[in-house]
């Protein structure tokens, strides 16, 4: 197995997915509109507190952008036989899934960058540690794109993927410290929150935007662990489902 | 030398045996037809040969490589034309072909040259910039075939390549397949169109419920039924039912509106029996013809499946 061939396959899949699915005007506008609407809604309710909410909103926009599109793209390709075309090519199953996940990651990053620009240019939020902020954004996009892939390879239809995604996404919004700090939540929910990658994204982004470095390294390492685990899980589930 | 070697190949899903220890070899440059009704195990066999499903028994070598041990090498040497035209709707013909070229590691300096050769061969030049979703079915099939040939595979698997095409597009595609076979590419073809298999294939395997019931040349398969001629009779008047025709001694009688098809060892006797029935029922004979049995008749006789069954299969595919 040649690494060059695998990387060539991954690049080709990313390029194709971005062109065929992600960078279509409706997807881009939805991806950008979603965080803007969220930001506006929260600013109407609590104009002063918006800066505090910025890290959570950026994470949430990335979560929704990546999981929605990833789940749709993979399930759609499974249904029309396009994923089978990829499996017939001389590249590994891991490379196919990594290519798919990275396509979703790039889309998620574009959305999170737009959201960050909005938060910093118009709402007064600040990024105090840019390099760590970028690292955390990338890890957040990879982890949640991989989560979308896990969902997509586990189901057959697009609507099933959307429903299953919501089982993860909506509890995450309330459990992961976006609106309510983790410390103020009941102990059991705090333990539960620690099982979800979004918790670490919000915590790390907040640290990058408030000049504190609390737990940032630990959060980054745990997010990296989630990325590896979810990519592995998506490949394993895909392989298992294919055989059955 | 053999392009494909299959020995006692089996696939079982739970308690269901999809393929029951089939064996066959395909020589290099041969066009091999794989025929059978839905659920016979054709798609499962192809999936095992192209590395998409693992056999539960037996072995298979494609282009000299074991499909379980070296699936990646197998994939490098084969092209696949699936039944579903599964290229990307939102990409143009050129973009689709370029993407597939990259998947098969064709050097970037050679990609455009290879794409242009295939666009020329498949008469797709004028559609280069058209999105795949905007192509007609026939053009889609040609593009899918071109995509399967980009990396110059030695063996091409084609699953129902002309399914759903109009007569002209199907004929054009058959010509392209024949041209491909003439250039020495080994072709593994599955189709529901039996006469199409007869035109294109050097040998045909008949698969029923996971077993190969017959494997021979189209001529040899036809010869199984050549000794039993068929008479076709057209008549006017009230439509006759199978009950009306019970007295005719024949191997098989098919009634289709005012046309009868009788397979019999003794044409004269069957004809005189029919004349008697026609007189009784007031039917007037319009035309009588002796027909040479075709591959479809051989298929029906050898597989034990009815014509109705085959027609339902065809309709299901359209």
């Amino acid at each position: 197995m040649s690494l060059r061939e695998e990387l060539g396959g991954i690049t080709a899949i990313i390029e194709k997915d971005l062109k065929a699915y992600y960078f279509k005007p409706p997807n881009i506008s939805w991806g950008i509109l979603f965080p803007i609407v969220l930001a506006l809604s929260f600013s109407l309710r609590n104009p002063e507190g918006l800066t505090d909410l910025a890290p959570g909103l950026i994470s949430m926009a990335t979560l929704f952008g990546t999981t929605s599109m990833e789940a749709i793209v993979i399930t759609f390709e499974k249904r029309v036989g396009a994923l089978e075309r990829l499996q017939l090519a001389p590249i590994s199953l891991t490379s196919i899934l990594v290519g798919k996940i990275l396509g979703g990651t790039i889309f998620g990053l574009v959305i999170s960058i737009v959201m960050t620009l909005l938060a910093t240019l118009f709402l007064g939020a600040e990024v105090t540690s840019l390099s760590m902020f970028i690292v955390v954004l990338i890890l957040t996009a990879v982890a949640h794109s991989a989560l979308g892939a896990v969902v997509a390879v586990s189901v057959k239809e697009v609507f099933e993927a959307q429903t299953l995604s919501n089982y993860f996404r909506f509890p995450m919004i309330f459990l992961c410290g976006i609106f309510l700090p983790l410390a103020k939540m009941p102990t059991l929910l705090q333990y539960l929150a620690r099982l979800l990658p979004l918790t670490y994204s919000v915590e790390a982004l907040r640290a990058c935007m408030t000049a504190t470095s609390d737990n940032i390294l630990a959060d980054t390492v745990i997010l990296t662990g989630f990325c590896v685990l979810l990519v592995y899980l998506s490949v394993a589930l895909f392989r298992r489902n294919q055989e059955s | 030398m053999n392009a494909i070697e299959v020995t006692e190949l089996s696939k079982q899903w739970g308690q269901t045996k999809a393929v029951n220890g089939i064996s066959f070899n395909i020589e290099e440059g041969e066009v091999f037809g794989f025929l059978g009704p839905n659920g016979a195990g054709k798609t499962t066999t192809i999936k095992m040969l192209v590395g998409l499903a693992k056999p539960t028994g037996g072995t298979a070598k494609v282009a000299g490589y074991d499909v379980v041990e070296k699936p990646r090498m197998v994939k490098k040497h084969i092209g696949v034309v699936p039944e579903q035209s599964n290229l990307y709707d939102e990409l143009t013909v050129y973009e689709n072909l370029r993407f597939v070229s990259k998947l098969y590691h064709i050097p970037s300096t050679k990609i455009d040259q290879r794409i242009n050769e295939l666009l020329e061969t498949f008469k797709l030049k004028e559609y280069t910039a058209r999105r795949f979703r905007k192509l007609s079915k026939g053009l889609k099939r040609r593009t899918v075939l071109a995509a399967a040939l980009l990396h110059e595979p030695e063996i091409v698997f084609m699953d129902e390549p002309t399914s759903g095409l109009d007569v002209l597009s199907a004929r054009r595609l058959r010509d392209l397949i024949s041209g491909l076979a003439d250039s020495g590419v080994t072709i593994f073809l599955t189709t529901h169109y039996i006469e199409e298999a007869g035109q294109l294939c050097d040998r045909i395997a008949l698969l029923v419920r996971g077993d190969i019931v017959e494997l021979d040349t189209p001529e040899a398969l036809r010869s199984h039924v050549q000794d039993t001629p068929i008479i076709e009779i057209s008549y006017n008047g009230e439509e006759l039912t199978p009950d009306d025709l019970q007295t005719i001694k024949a191997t098989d009688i098919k009634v289709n509106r005012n046309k009868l098809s009788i397979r019999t060892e003794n044409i004269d006797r069957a004809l005189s029996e029919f004349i008697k029935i026609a007189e009784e029922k007031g039917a007037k004979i319009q035309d009588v013809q002796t027909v040479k049995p075709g591959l479809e008749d051989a298929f029906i006789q050898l597989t034990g499946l009815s014509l109705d069954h085959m027609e339902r299969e065809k309709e299901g595919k359209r």
Side-chain angles (χ1 to χ4, degrees):
Chain A
M1 189 186 297
S2 142
L3 183 64
R4 224 177 102 204
E5 287 180 351
E6 294 298 325
L7 288 175
I10 292 172
T11 318
I13 292 170
I14 296 172
E15 197 185 318
K16 184 267 295 172
D17 277 0
L18 293 179
K19 204 164 197 171
Y21 309 113
Y22 291 110
F23 289 153
K24 292 281 155 196
N27 294 336
I28 297 173
S29 54
W30 181 85
I32 292 171
L33 198 68
F34 178 70
I36 289 175
V37 170
L38 273 178
L40 279 174
S41 319
F42 286 109
S43 69
L44 287 172
R45 184 178 169 272
N46 182 13
E48 282 79 35
L50 196 64
T51 315
D52 292 340
L53 279 177
L57 291 178
I58 294 167
S59 310
M60 191 165 53
T62 316
L63 165 76
F64 271 81
T66 49
T67 49
S68 309
M69 283 304 290
E70 192 66 43
I72 290 171
V73 168
I74 294 180
T75 8
F76 172 75
E77 286 204 349
K78 270 204 294 189
R79 193 161 58 79
V80 299
L83 203 60
E84 193 169 280
R85 168 168 292 282
L86 301 181
Q87 291 172 255
L88 286 166
I91 53 169
S92 68
L93 214 59
T94 307
S95 293
I96 294 172
L97 260 300
V98 167
K100 294 281 194 209
I101 290 166
L102 290 180
T105 300
I106 292 171
F107 182 69
L109 279 175
V110 169
I111 290 172
S112 58
I113 288 166
V114 171
M115 195 64 194
T116 307
L117 287 173
L118 282 173
T120 50
L121 295 176
F122 301 107
L123 308 171
E126 259 184 276
V127 176
T128 50
S129 170
L130 185 62
S131 53
M132 277 314 284
F133 183 82
I134 292 169
V135 170
V136 175
L137 273 192
I138 293 171
L139 290 173
T140 303
V142 172
H144 294 109
S145 184
L147 179 65
V150 169
V151 169
V153 298
S154 312
V155 298
K156 281 185 180 165
E157 297 293 338
V158 175
F159 73 87
E160 289 176 299
Q162 289 293 25
T163 311
L164 189 58
S165 296
N166 287 338
Y167 278 112
F168 293 99
R169 288 187 302 205
F170 284 102
M172 277 164 107
I173 293 174
F174 298 103
L175 287 174
C176 297
I178 296 173
F179 302 114
L180 186 68
L182 236 59
K184 289 187 180 172
M185 284 200 263
T187 317
L188 185 68
L189 293 184
Q190 284 186 40
Y191 283 126
L192 196 59
R194 288 289 164 203
L195 298 174
L196 303 166
L198 194 69
T199 304
Y200 303 94
S201 300
V202 176
E203 207 166 70
L205 287 178
R206 185 160 285 141
C208 293
M209 295 179 90
T210 53
T212 58
S213 56
D214 293 353
N215 297 331
I216 193 162
L217 198 63
D219 288 335
T220 314
V221 170
I222 294 170
L223 264 180
T224 310
F226 268 111
C227 293
V228 174
L229 177 75
L230 290 165
V231 171
Y232 173 80
L233 198 61
S234 65
V235 176
L237 283 171
F238 189 38
R239 190 165 280 140
R240 196 198 67 180
N241 292 347
Q242 192 190 359
E243 266 310 301
S244 63
Chain B
M1 194 179 159
N2 289 327
I4 298 175
E5 291 174 14
V6 174
T7 312
E8 293 294 321
L9 194 68
S10 309
K11 181 74 184 179
Q12 197 164 339
W13 309 98
Q15 294 299 307
T16 314
K17 281 184 177 176
V19 178
N20 291 329
I22 58 172
S23 301
F24 59 88
N25 292 331
I26 302 176
E27 280 181 30
E28 277 180 5
E30 189 176 355
V31 182
F32 187 84
F34 212 50
L35 264 67
N38 277 351
K42 299 191 300 283
T43 304
T44 307
T45 305
I46 288 192
K47 284 198 168 182
M48 288 191 280
L49 295 181
V50 301
L52 285 181
K54 278 189 183 156
T56 47
T59 59
K61 278 187 176 182
V62 174
Y65 299 99
D66 188 285
V67 293
V68 176
E69 285 164 14
K70 301 270 181 193
R72 192 188 170 89
M73 290 309 289
V74 169
K75 288 173 186 177
K76 279 188 174 184
H77 289 81
I78 62 167
V80 180
V81 180
E83 188 182 354
Q84 205 174 2
S85 292
N86 63 353
L87 284 169
Y88 302 91
D89 277 351
E90 294 305 317
L91 301 185
T92 64
V93 168
Y94 175 78
E95 286 167 343
N96 265 301
L97 296 179
R98 191 170 173 79
F99 167 63
V100 177
S101 304
K102 286 181 180 175
L103 275 186
Y104 282 86
H105 323 303
I106 297 172
S108 52
T109 48
K110 289 185 179 169
I111 288 179
D112 279 346
Q113 184 197 334
R114 183 68 187 138
I115 290 176
N116 281 325
E117 281 170 19
L118 287 164
L119 289 173
E120 199 75 56
T121 310
F122 289 89
K123 308 264 185 293
L124 288 165
K125 204 95 185 167
E126 60 185 293
Y127 308 102
T128 311
R130 191 172 291 185
R131 283 185 202 280
F132 188 70
R133 73 179 147 90
K134 291 195 170 171
L135 298 177
S136 67
K137 270 188 183 172
L139 287 171
K140 279 185 177 173
R141 295 308 285 165
R142 270 147 65 187
T143 312
V144 170
L145 185 53
L149 300 175
L150 278 162
H151 57 296
E152 300 179 70
E154 296 149 38
I155 304 161
V156 178
F157 290 85
M158 296 186 187
D159 197 1
E160 304 284 349
T162 59
S163 175
L165 295 187
D166 60 67
V167 178
L168 270 179
S169 302
R171 176 177 278 194
R172 179 171 262 179
L173 200 68
R174 275 198 295 274
D175 290 344
L176 287 168
I177 296 169
S178 294
L180 201 60
D182 291 343
S183 69
V185 174
T186 307
I187 296 175
F188 187 102
L189 174 85
T190 72
T191 177
H192 274 74
Y193 304 112
I194 296 166
E195 295 305 331
E196 175 177 279
Q199 284 171 35
L200 290 170
C201 299
D202 297 314
R203 284 189 306 150
I204 294 171
L206 302 182
L207 194 72
V208 179
R209 293 181 199 94
D211 288 308
I212 291 180
V213 294
E214 196 67 49
L215 197 171
D216 221 323
T217 61
E219 295 72 31
L221 290 176
R222 278 188 201 102
S223 72
H224 284 282
V225 288
Q226 298 275 323
D227 298 337
T228 316
I230 296 170
I231 45 170
E232 282 185 355
I233 305 168
S234 306
Y235 61 93
N236 276 344
E238 198 181 325
E239 204 171 310
L240 299 172
T241 65
D243 284 346
D244 298 329
L245 306 165
Q246 271 178 351
T247 52
I248 300 176
K249 287 188 176 52
T251 315
D252 186 29
I253 301 177
K254 293 184 192 82
V255 186
N256 185 6
R257 292 189 184 144
N258 286 59
K259 198 168 180 181
L260 281 181
S261 176
I262 305 171
R263 186 202 304 274
T264 176
E265 301 287 347
N266 191 333
I267 291 178
D268 293 339
R269 193 177 63 193
L271 199 53
S272 62
E273 282 164 352
F274 177 74
I275 290 167
K276 267 190 221 165
I277 296 166
E279 278 172 1
E280 281 170 20
K281 299 283 175 187
K284 194 174 175 191
I285 295 173
Q286 293 286 300
D287 187 34
V288 178
Q289 280 185 36
T290 310
V291 183
K292 198 175 162 189
L295 201 55
E296 193 165 87
D297 300 291
F299 181 90
I300 290 162
Q301 187 169 314
L302 291 165
T303 60
L305 296 168
S306 69
L307 194 63
D308 282 350
H309 184 103
M310 289 308 294
E311 275 168 0
R312 278 199 304 274
E313 293 281 308
K314 279 185 189 175
E315 287 308 315
K317 286 281 162 187
R318 274 173 193 152

